[in-house]
């Protein structure tokens, strides 16, 4: 047990003898401020990209919706046209139709 | 006051100053001596916990930056070392937590590099060889301890803190510290005995 205790004490002594190089506060503060600035820039860039992405997506969606509604209108119109073309010609117009064809 | 605040008093003279990085030069100079006074202790704890010199330096820098930003809030209820070590312990916890996800950044052999640095300066003459082997075994065993046990173990044996101070630093009750320390010592002894 004593040997183990001595080992623990020696372990602590070894660790405490590690002498790190102490940087100046100025260098730490400069680095941290730069980091903070970079972080802010990253946040702003991210926000701008998100807004642009959202605008692009919204615009694309609106275009797609407009295109779809135009297609629907065309389809309805075509249906109406087809319906009118396939309608039987009234009897009174029969002779006129004969002249046409 | 100067004894208990360990140089922070001079650094906190300008309490009215905003802490968002717009401080006068004299405050910077005062904090420089504060950093010089406490850097080694914070760094050593981070190094013993993380076993990565770069991460330890980064944690130490973050610790002083946080201390600087929060210096106006320091009320002197605990010693400045306890206050500072509490910040360091929390930062090490964060680092350990974030490391779990950064599996691609794990470097092999870093643990041995740090151990060699710890052992540097000691001549491995025959009389000390066994003792040094035991230190190495304790180092490896401490590295395998679960989070809280390792924390308490290092604060006790590397920083030579009293149980009450460890409790304050780790945010635990004194009973919990005793419990963690007991388990940590038992685990280390088992591993060292089997080594």
């Amino acid at each position: 047990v004593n040997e183990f205790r001595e080992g623990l004490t020696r372990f602590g002594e070894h660790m405490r003898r590690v002498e790190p190089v102490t940087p100046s506060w100025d260098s730490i503060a400069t680095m941290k401020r730069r980091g903070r600035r970079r972080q802010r820039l990253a946040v702003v860039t991210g926000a701008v990209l998100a807004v642009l992405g959202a605008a692009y997506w919204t615009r694309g969606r609106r275009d797609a919706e407009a295109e779809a509604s135009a297609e629907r209108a065309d389809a309805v119109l075509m249906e109406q046209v087809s319906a009118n073309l396939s309608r039987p010609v009234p009897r009174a117009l029969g002779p006129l139709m004969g002249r046409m064809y | 006051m100067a004894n208990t605040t360990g140089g922070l008093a001079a650094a906190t003279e300008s309490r009215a100053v905003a802490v968002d990085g717009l401080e006068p030069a004299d405050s910077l100079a005062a904090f420089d001596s504060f950093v010089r006074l406490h850097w080694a202790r914070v760094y050593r704890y981070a190094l013993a916990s993380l076993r990565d010199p770069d991460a330890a330096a980064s944690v130490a820098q973050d610790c002083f930056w946080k201390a600087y930003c929060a210096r106006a809030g320091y009320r002197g209820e605990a010693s400045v070392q306890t206050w500072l070590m509490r910040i360091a312990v929390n930062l090490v916890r964060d680092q350990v937590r974030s490391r779990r996800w950064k599996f691609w950044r794990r470097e092999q052999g870093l643990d041995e590099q740090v151990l060699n640095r710890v052992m540097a300066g000691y001549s491995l003459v025959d009389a000390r060889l066994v003792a040094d082997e035991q230190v190495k075994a304790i180092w490896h065993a401490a590295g395998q301890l679960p989070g809280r046990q390792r924390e308490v173990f290092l604060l006790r044996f590397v920083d030579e803190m009293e149980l009450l101070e460890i409790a304050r630093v780790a945010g635990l009750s004194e009973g919990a510290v005793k419990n963690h320390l007991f388990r940590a010592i038992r685990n280390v002894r088992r591993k060292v005995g089997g080594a």
Side-chain angles (χ1 to χ4, degrees):
Chain A
V1 174
N2 281 341
E3 198 181 309
F4 178 68
R5 270 189 199 158
E6 279 172 22
L8 287 176
T9 311
R10 213 171 294 115
F11 168 72
E13 281 170 7
H14 274 71
M15 286 307 302
R16 284 191 295 279
R17 287 195 191 187
V18 172
E19 281 302 328
V21 180
T22 309
S24 70
W25 170 240
D26 192 36
S27 66
I28 296 173
T30 308
M31 204 187 300
K32 288 289 154 197
R33 269 190 222 113
R34 264 188 215 148
R36 196 186 264 190
R37 236 173 274 151
R38 230 174 282 147
Q39 213 171 352
R40 277 183 199 155
L41 191 68
V43 169
V44 170
T45 310
V48 168
L49 285 175
V51 168
L52 286 176
Y56 181 76
W57 182 76
T58 311
R59 199 177 155 185
R61 201 178 152 188
R62 239 184 252 162
D63 287 352
E65 269 175 17
E67 205 175 311
S69 101
E71 268 175 22
R72 271 199 304 273
D74 285 351
V76 169
L77 188 65
M78 282 304 289
E79 261 176 38
Q80 285 173 355
V81 168
S82 305
N84 285 333
L85 283 180
S86 61
R87 196 172 61 185
V89 178
R91 264 185 208 169
L93 293 176
L96 187 63
M97 293 300 287
R99 276 193 186 179
M100 277 176 74
Y101 299 103
Chain B
M1 183 76 179
N3 289 337
T4 56
T5 57
L8 189 68
T12 53
E13 270 173 5
S14 52
R15 281 179 186 240
V17 173
V19 289
D20 60 351
L22 300 167
E23 66 293 318
D26 60 328
S27 171
L28 271 179
F31 212 78
D32 194 50
S33 58
F34 176 74
V35 172
R36 284 183 198 289
L37 195 62
H38 299 287
W39 177 269
R41 198 174 185 192
V42 171
Y43 178 84
R44 275 186 213 124
Y45 172 74
L47 184 70
S49 301
L50 301 169
R51 289 145 190 255
D52 177 349
D54 292 337
S58 174
V59 161
Q61 284 180 4
D62 286 349
C63 180
F64 284 98
W65 179 253
K66 277 187 182 268
Y68 180 72
C69 292
R71 70 194 192 284
Y74 174 68
R75 305 259 174 258
E77 288 154 359
S79 77
V80 76
Q81 282 190 356
T82 306
W83 179 66
L84 204 56
M85 285 307 289
R86 187 164 188 162
I87 297 174
V89 164
N90 285 330
L91 285 169
V92 167
R93 281 179 193 167
D94 290 347
Q95 186 82 11
V96 169
R97 221 171 288 140
S98 70
R99 253 187 191 186
R100 285 183 199 143
W101 301 98
K102 292 178 182 172
F103 55 87
W104 66 91
R105 286 186 69 182
R106 278 178 205 155
E107 286 181 47
Q108 298 296 319
L110 206 57
D111 194 73
E112 288 299 322
Q113 279 177 35
V114 176
L115 178 61
N116 289 337
R117 190 177 161 192
V118 170
M119 302 302 284
Y122 287 84
S123 57
L124 295 175
V125 289
D126 288 346
R128 298 197 55 149
L129 195 60
V130 177
D132 286 338
E133 283 305 314
Q134 197 180 23
V135 170
K136 284 182 185 175
I138 292 173
W139 166 267
H140 289 302
Q144 290 167 12
L145 289 174
R148 285 291 154 92
Q149 285 182 30
R150 190 204 292 204
E151 211 171 273
V152 170
F153 181 83
L154 294 176
L155 289 171
R156 180 75 190 97
F157 294 106
V158 176
D159 284 294
E160 293 186 302
M161 282 186 182
E162 296 299 323
L163 294 182
L164 192 63
E165 198 180 0
I166 296 174
R168 280 185 191 147
V169 165
L172 299 167
S173 69
E174 209 179 336
V177 170
K178 275 183 193 168
N179 195 12
H180 284 305
L181 191 60
F182 170 75
R183 283 164 196 262
I185 292 172
R186 192 181 59 187
N187 285 340
V188 170
R189 195 191 289 167
R190 269 184 200 157
K191 278 166 190 161
V192 171

